[in-house]
Amino acid sequence: MIILGIHDGHDSSAALMVNGKIIYAAQEERFSGLKTDYGLPVGAIKDCLKSTGIKAKDIDEIALGTKYLNPVLMRIKRNANFSVSNWIEEQEKFWKPKILDNKKVSYWDTFKNKKFKCDKIYNYNGILNSYMSSKDMEIFQKRRIEKISSFLKIDKKKIKIQLHEDCHKYYSYFFFKERKNGIAITSEGIGDYSNGSVSVIKNENFKLISHNRHNHLGHIYQYITLLLGMKPSQHEYKVMGLAPYSSSYELKKSFKIFDDVLKIKNLDIVFKKKPKDLFYHFKEKLIDCRFDGIAGGLQKFVEKKLEEWFLACSKKLSYKNFYFSGGVAQNIKAGMSLNLSNKFSKILIPPAAGDTSISIGACFKSASDYCEKNNKSKSSFIKPIENMYLGYQINKSEIKKYISEKKIKQKYFVVENIKSKKIAKEIFNGNIIGRCVGKMEFGLRALGNRSILCDPRYFSNINKINAKIKKRDFWMPFTPTILDKDFDKYIDNPKKLDARFMSMAFNTTAEGKKCLGAAIHPADFTARPQKLEKKDNLSYYELIKEFKKFSGVGALLNTSLNLHGLPIVRTVKDAFYVFENSDLDILIIEDFFFKKKSKINNFYN
């Protein structure tokens, strides 16, 4: 049974499942170069088929995630193209006239003349005149299917649409080996029928219990991100990173304003006091609140509302295990807060829990349907995801060709067949390394194969990476990759949660604070770690093991190999672009070592 999963909304991606196992997954942004790209993931699909050797004619089913997509937003690729000023323009020229002034206004007319990289794959004739027309979305749904059918030369009957919320909750459950009866929660901006849902999972079957469209946790976080001068749908993590810097005094001022808006009613989050417009409500109410206090109050509000919601669900439905997905589930500090509570057993949150993983979730849902039709055991047929190294891999001939064509040896010191010990020594000596090795990771986190690495012990490395390479906001923390044998030495994980994917936050131990100073949050000393097991990534494991021999620390600081605002690198060309446009000291591509000649020093010592 071969299933191709496709997600063509924002953060578009493709995934391939063969006999219940995901063998490939990649985001389109890595191929197009447009971060959080929209639309049919043509590049990812082509690479998927090429990398796996699967022919389109061999595909048994295409699982297309999400039934209703807004054609106007798809055409302009809103989340990917919008700058902060565009988001503000949307509020002032569309939502304010529409909601507050009761005027008729066209979203398409507002933005159609912008110099955006618009989608040219789908047919938008006659369906751009309204913003959320159910009729237009029905027409668009048929056109999406028609385009996929013609692109892959595959019968339309093989294309099955899976509901957005189903993709989320099936992903959150079948991702893990630990599949127990429990509650599946989704919370996000908008899905097919809700922005918050509650389902019971019993004997691997899902039953939807409650859902609504008033769960605005995600929207509120988006609006505050914008009010703080950052990009909604991309920079919420920056607000979360800023929150721990707030004083309790400043936090309390804004928290009350947030807490007055939403409440728990039965199994849903609903309005307590419904403002006419959320964005302008908070713009007015928060006028005398400090920026750090706003971030802190918002984060506390989300954590408190989620705990109240989960507790209401647990009491009503008599389960303590939760599977949490949707954009709000990517708030790792909220997930940490839930897991620190003794009111729940475990809150399981998979990596890339937002729309990025809709393609994989669609595969899981189609596989589940297949098992039901054929009386197969879901638990034995649908395999958990063992690791996130699921994408494109650079081959040696590609590297050699680039070296030759770009005359790399004239510009850089080059060594082939570099050993882990030598790389580890360079890191120990204070160099910052870009590592582009093996299969590309799927999702939001670099897990060693498309990473920037350095010594985690020295706080000064934060400023070095931010100033010379990443250009990140000064308050944002980096993260550690930790060898499994050293994990408990540095990280406090009382519930033994799966920490292999940087999808959860934890408190650090005294030893962790001492040894991982550059790779933990400077304000609250929490970490979003990757627990590395040898079976998941042998060469990366050996590198950290060698570094430990020099330093005594079984961990490295790990951040994604990209420049700010660009996707994580995929190819040799992408990696060299970062290398040549930053102060990265060394670049590793597979077993090739590249060092700027001005920084050679005593390489052979």
Side-chain angles (χ1 to χ4, degrees):
M1 180 67 175
I2 299 174
I3 302 170
L4 176 65
I6 295 176
H7 167 50
D8 56 349
H10 67 84
D11 300 294
S12 60
S13 62
L16 189 72
M17 173 184 274
V18 177
N19 295 327
K21 182 178 181 179
I22 297 293
I23 65 169
Y24 179 97
Q27 298 119 284
E28 184 64 15
E29 66 171 23
R30 310 289 176 87
F31 298 86
S32 68
L34 183 62
K35 197 166 184 178
T36 70
D37 203 357
Y38 265 84
L40 184 63
V42 171
I45 292 171
K46 286 180 178 178
D47 186 61
C48 171
L49 300 180
K50 180 181 178 182
S51 298
T52 61
I54 300 290
K55 306 294 184 186
K57 63 182 178 61
D58 299 325
I59 296 170
D60 295 296
E61 182 169 304
I62 292 177
L64 179 58
T66 309
K67 187 174 184 179
Y68 299 111
L69 286 176
N70 188 328
V72 185
L73 300 188
M74 177 81 82
R75 176 75 173 101
I76 65 173
K77 300 191 178 199
R78 182 242 243 158
N79 294 23
N81 280 317
F82 267 27
S83 64
V84 172
S85 61
N86 293 137
W87 284 104
I88 293 172
E89 188 177 7
E90 180 188 73
Q91 292 295 330
E92 294 181 347
K93 293 186 177 180
F94 181 75
W95 291 115
K96 185 176 182 290
K98 181 181 176 69
I99 294 175
L100 298 182
D101 302 331
N102 294 314
K103 293 181 179 178
K104 287 187 177 181
V105 56
S106 166
Y107 194 96
W108 173 241
D109 287 345
T110 303
F111 292 103
K112 66 182 180 182
N113 293 321
K114 301 290 182 183
K115 293 181 179 180
F116 292 148
K117 185 180 178 181
C118 292
D119 183 62
K120 296 179 180 178
I121 293 176
Y122 288 129
N123 175 8
Y124 296 96
N125 290 337
I127 56 171
L128 296 175
N129 299 320
S130 61
Y131 182 76
M132 286 290 283
S133 162
S134 57
K135 181 181 178 182
D136 286 351
M137 287 193 283
E138 290 281 1
I139 294 170
F140 190 45
Q141 178 190 138
K142 293 176 182 176
R143 291 182 183 178
R144 289 161 61 208
I145 291 172
E146 288 168 359
K147 183 61 187 180
I148 293 168
S149 173
S150 63
F151 170 62
L152 289 169
K153 297 181 175 59
I154 198 167
D155 193 328
K156 284 190 288 186
K157 293 178 182 177
K158 288 187 175 183
I159 302 172
K160 181 173 182 180
I161 290 182
Q162 299 293 1
L163 291 175
H164 188 94
E165 290 86 345
D166 284 349
C167 295
H168 277 317
K169 59 193 180 187
Y170 277 72
Y171 173 66
S172 71
Y173 179 75
F174 285 107
F175 179 92
F176 295 103
K177 292 179 182 177
E178 189 174 334
R179 300 170 180 173
K180 296 181 178 179
N181 291 345
I183 300 169
I185 297 276
T186 67
S187 182
E188 59 186 325
I190 193 64
D192 274 325
Y193 57 81
S194 73
N195 54 14
S197 74
V198 179
S199 300
V200 165
I201 310 170
K202 187 174 181 180
N203 300 327
E204 300 189 330
N205 293 311
F206 290 73
K207 182 180 180 182
L208 181 64
I209 303 298
S210 188
H211 64 91
N212 74 346
R213 289 180 177 269
H214 302 295
N215 181 344
H216 289 292
L217 289 178
H219 283 138
I220 291 172
Y221 221 102
Q222 285 181 322
Y223 295 143
I224 301 307
T225 299
L226 180 57
L227 286 170
L228 290 174
M230 292 173 273
K231 283 186 183 181
S233 299
Q234 284 194 37
H235 292 165
E236 283 78 4
Y237 72 94
K238 294 186 179 185
V239 179
M240 182 183 65
L242 178 62
Y245 290 95
S246 173
S247 68
S248 58
Y249 171 75
E250 292 294 340
L251 184 152
K252 286 177 184 176
K253 285 169 62 179
S254 61
F255 172 76
K256 177 67 166 60
I257 295 167
F258 293 120
D259 200 44
D260 282 343
V261 175
L262 297 178
K263 66 179 181 179
I264 311 302
K265 183 178 180 182
N266 299 322
L267 298 182
D268 295 316
I269 294 179
V270 300
F271 279 114
K272 183 191 297 184
K273 296 178 182 176
K274 185 178 179 180
K276 193 168 184 181
D277 179 87
L278 283 168
F279 177 81
Y280 286 100
H281 170 80
F282 290 119
K283 185 177 181 180
E284 176 187 344
K285 294 290 183 180
L286 296 169
I287 190 69
D288 63 342
C289 295
R290 268 173 47 134
F291 67 99
D292 53 341
I294 292 171
L298 173 65
Q299 183 63 29
K300 182 181 177 183
F301 160 71
V302 169
E303 291 174 8
K304 181 175 180 286
K305 282 292 169 278
L306 286 176
E307 183 174 6
E308 291 173 356
W309 185 25
F310 279 50
L311 187 58
C313 292
S314 182
K315 287 181 177 179
K316 177 73 173 178
L317 303 173
S318 302
Y319 288 110
K320 287 192 173 184
N321 289 307
F322 286 83
Y323 298 85
F324 188 25
S325 58
V328 177
Q330 294 181 150
N331 188 311
I332 59 167
K333 298 300 278 293
M336 174 183 167
S337 176
L338 289 167
N339 270 308
L340 286 175
S341 172
N342 59 12
K343 297 170 185 175
F344 313 113
S345 293
K346 283 186 179 180
I347 314 295
L348 295 177
I349 305 170
D355 284 4
T356 308
S357 57
I358 287 289
S359 59
I360 300 179
C363 287
F364 282 141
K365 178 60 169 67
S366 282
S368 177
D369 294 343
Y370 168 78
C371 288
E372 289 179 5
K373 290 176 185 176
N374 294 277
N375 199 28
K376 285 180 174 286
S377 166
K378 296 178 186 179
S379 59
S380 58
F381 181 76
I382 304 175
K383 310 298 189 296
I385 294 181
E386 296 172 0
N387 60 63
M388 296 300 275
Y389 307 110
L390 295 167
Y392 177 89
Q393 182 167 8
I394 296 167
N395 61 55
K396 208 158 188 175
S397 62
E398 184 183 343
I399 305 170
K400 289 182 175 180
K401 182 180 178 183
Y402 194 90
I403 290 173
S404 174
E405 290 181 350
K406 302 297 180 181
K407 297 180 172 54
I408 295 299
K409 289 184 178 179
Q410 294 180 18
K411 295 187 283 185
Y412 304 107
F413 179 70
V414 181
V415 177
E416 192 173 350
N417 299 317
I418 193 71
K419 303 302 179 186
S420 293
K421 183 177 180 180
K422 199 64 189 178
I423 302 169
K425 182 68 179 293
E426 292 283 347
I427 295 173
F428 178 73
N429 286 340
N431 287 305
I432 297 178
I433 308 283
R435 186 174 190 268
C436 188
V437 177
K439 289 186 176 182
M440 179 175 66
E441 304 92 332
F442 177 81
L444 311 177
R445 310 299 175 205
L447 301 171
N449 282 7
R450 299 293 189 277
S451 291
I452 292 172
L453 308 171
C454 75
D455 193 326
R457 296 173 295 167
Y458 304 118
F459 194 81
S460 58
N461 279 336
I462 294 176
N463 291 333
K464 188 176 179 182
I465 296 174
N466 277 339
K468 296 184 176 183
I469 304 166
K470 297 285 284 186
K471 315 297 182 188
R472 295 191 351 155
D473 302 291
F474 68 88
W475 67 83
M476 290 303 297
F478 291 109
T479 56
T481 299
I482 305 170
L483 298 179
D484 52 357
K485 293 178 181 178
D486 293 293
F487 193 78
D488 291 339
K489 186 194 306 183
Y490 303 133
I491 301 295
D492 184 19
N493 183 14
K495 291 186 178 179
K496 304 302 177 186
L497 297 164
D498 190 343
R500 293 177 298 145
F501 307 109
M502 292 187 176
S503 58
M504 294 190 179
F506 300 88
N507 286 317
T508 51
T509 64
E511 190 73 8
K513 294 176 179 66
K514 176 184 174 183
C515 297
L516 307 178
I520 62 178
H521 199 292
D524 64 8
F525 309 114
T526 57
R528 175 173 49 80
Q530 174 191 6
K531 180 181 180 180
L532 185 62
E533 299 178 13
K534 187 182 290 187
K535 65 178 177 62
D536 290 333
N537 195 328
L538 178 60
S539 63
Y540 188 32
Y541 192 95
E542 290 299 321
L543 173 59
I544 302 177
K545 189 176 175 182
E546 290 294 338
F547 176 76
K548 184 180 178 181
K549 291 177 183 178
F550 291 115
S551 66
V553 175
L556 288 175
L557 182 153
N558 173 3
T559 187
S560 57
L561 182 55
N562 66 303
L563 299 180
H564 190 265
L566 295 178
I568 296 172
V569 306
R570 177 175 66 91
T571 64
V572 175
K573 181 181 178 182
D574 296 339
F576 265 97
Y577 183 83
V578 174
F579 191 41
E580 293 174 341
N581 289 277
S582 72
D583 274 347
L584 197 65
D585 297 312
I586 292 165
L587 178 63
I588 308 294
I589 304 181
E590 296 303 328
D591 63 350
F592 284 81
F593 172 102
F594 306 92
K595 190 170 186 179
K596 291 166 182 173
K597 289 186 176 181
S598 61
K599 300 182 178 183
I600 293 175
N601 297 326
N602 298 316
F603 176 78
Y604 289 104
N605 288 347

